Amino acid sequence: MDEFDQKMEISEQPQEEIVEKIPGRDVYETVSSLVSALLVVVLVFTFLVRLMGVSGPSMIPTLQDGDRLLVVNSLVWSLGYEPKQGDIVVLNKTTVEHLGGVAIVKRVIATAGQTVDIDFNLGQVYVDGELLDEDYINDYTYREEGTVFPLTVPEGEVFLMGDNRNHSNDSRDSSLGTVDTRLLIGKAVFLVFPGRDYLTEQREFGRIGLLQ
């Protein structure tokens, strides 16, 4: 190999890239990422979901007093969602001032156009003439609260009841009645942290998960 070939071989060897490290750059990128993540969380909990607590026994056994729930904001409904039969929803506190002025959680029993009838002697609930299979309730529906049945739910409204039927103030109460869907805060979808069971006084962490 002559001198010219040796020079060519040396020149073709890869050169190391020298990158100048700017002081504080790593810290800046880390802080920037954290701020961006925090902003996303704030936006999500402002416009999409919110964390709310259950107060009272009206939804036992599905929900316990002190449960923390993830609630899909009603603003999402403008994207096409509407409350459905069986959904667990949260009412705005201004709709129930006579019940203590706090937001309350109930289950959708019937939606607009459906007819609700209750046989208080047998404790049975009918929607459009069909007996509901309510495996989520704590007891049968014996408690009357003034609303006259059968009742057809008006357009844009829902009929709500608590799962703890004889310990719940809800749409059976003539002073509340059916509720305008625009007055709902949102739909409860996930149990984040359990309150204490009303019988055992223990927290059952196995309950954490999607709400049915």
Side-chain angles (χ1 to χ4, degrees), residues 81-87 89 107-116 127-128 132 151-160 178-179 181 184:
Y81 170 78
E82 294 184 359
K84 298 180 177 59
Q85 189 178 37
D87 285 353
V89 296
R107 187 182 295 274
V108 177
I109 302 302
T111 58
Q114 293 186 306
T115 298
V116 182
V127 174
D128 291 338
L132 294 185
L151 168 69
T152 299
V153 181
E155 190 66 30
E157 299 187 3
V158 287
F159 184 91
L160 310 171
T178 54
V179 176
T181 56
L184 300 179

Side-chain angles (χ1 to χ4, degrees), residues 61-73:
T62 306
L63 301 174
Q64 302 288 338
D65 182 30
D67 282 352
R68 303 295 292 179
L69 311 176
L70 197 63
V71 178
V72 176
N73 199 307

Side-chain angles (χ1 to χ4, degrees), residues 73-104:
N73 199 307
S74 58
L75 290 176
V76 177
W77 297 348
S78 62
L79 302 178
Y81 170 78
E82 294 184 359
K84 298 180 177 59
Q85 189 178 37
D87 285 353
I88 297 174
V89 296
V90 181
L91 287 73
N92 189 306
K93 64 181 181 181
T94 59
T95 68
V96 285
E97 290 181 354
H98 67 289
L99 301 179
V102 295
I104 59 175

